[in-house]
Amino acid sequence: MLASGHPVEKILKKWKGLNFNHFTSLIPFKEYFRPWNLRALGDADGIRDKVLPYFEVKVEKINEMKLPVTFSVCNFTMKTVDTIPADQVEENHLLAGVSLPILMPALKVKKDWFIDAVWVKDANLLGAVKRGAEEIWLIWGIGNYPSYLSGSLNQYVHSIEMSANGALFEEFEQI
C-alpha cells in the first residue's frame, strides 16, 4: 500500500478492517487426495482476488510511482534472494513475497520460480545501503517470541522466526 502511494493513516485503517480469512484459499478438493503431488495446502487466489484489491494495491501504480522501494523475494530457481525495484515488480512477485512452502506454492515470473524470502533473508538492508540509502524504513511482521511452543504449526512459525530474525540481526551487525 505504501508503494502504491497510500497514506499511513489509510494503511492502518485498512489493516484494522482486514478479514484475515481472505488470505486462505484452498485448492480444488480432489487434489488433497493425492498428497504425493500436492503443490501446497492452498494457493494465492485469496490474496490475488481479495486482499490486494481490498488494500487497493495496483502493480501498475507501484511501477509508475518511481519510489526508491524494493521487494525481496527468494528466486527458488537460482537459490538467491532477488531485490526487485518498484518499477519492475510484477503481481506474482508480490504474491511470492507471502508464499510460504507447504502453505502456498511458488509463483512463476518469466522463467523463474519465486517464494517468500523469509527462510533466507527476508529484508535486504545491505542491498539498500549499497545503493546509497542513508535512511531505511523496515516494515517487519515477523514475530520474535521467547518461548518455544509445542505443536507443528508453532514450530513451523518458530523456524520462520529463527531464519528471518537471525538474518536480520546479522545484517544489523554488518551495517
Side-chain angles (χ1 to χ4, degrees), residues 135-146:
E135 182 175 338
I136 298 173
W137 290 25
L138 175 64
I139 301 168
W140 193 251
I142 305 297
N144 191 10
Y145 298 99

Side-chain angles (χ1 to χ4, degrees), residues 23-159:
F23 278 96
T24 305
S25 179
L26 301 177
I27 58 177
F29 187 67
K30 65 181 180 181
E31 291 186 33
Y32 292 106
F33 292 106
R34 297 184 309 226
W36 52 89
N37 279 340
L38 198 61
R39 291 183 6 180
L41 295 174
D43 61 28
D45 291 350
I47 300 168
R48 183 188 322 271
D49 300 337
K50 295 177 182 172
V51 175
L52 292 182
Y54 171 78
F55 283 132
E56 301 173 42
V57 171
K58 294 182 176 35
V59 173
E60 304 79 28
K61 184 75 171 168
I62 294 170
N63 294 155
E64 69 187 32
M65 290 287 290
K66 305 289 187 219
L67 295 173
V69 173
T70 60
F71 300 85
S72 293
V73 288
C74 178
N75 183 324
F76 182 80
T77 303
M78 303 302 293
K79 308 300 187 271
T80 58
V81 174
D82 291 359
T83 303
I84 313 297
D87 63 346
Q88 295 174 27
V89 75
E90 296 184 22
E91 184 178 70
N92 272 1
H93 287 126
L94 297 179
L95 296 170
V98 293
S99 177
L100 295 171
I102 300 172
L103 302 177
M104 217 171 97
L107 290 117
K108 199 164 193 178
V109 177
K110 297 178 182 61
K111 64 179 177 31
D112 294 332
W113 290 96
F114 291 89
I115 61 173
D116 193 317
V118 71
W119 299 104
V120 184
K121 184 181 195 176
D122 210 30
N124 191 353
L125 305 181
L126 283 173
V129 170
K130 288 177 185 175
R131 286 188 311 279
E134 295 179 12
E135 182 175 338
I136 298 173
W137 290 25
L138 175 64
I139 301 168
W140 193 251
I142 305 297
N144 191 10
Y145 298 99
S147 299
Y148 191 83
L149 304 174
S150 61
S152 56
L153 180 58
N154 284 328
Q155 292 171 13
Y156 181 81
V157 172
H158 289 332
S159 297

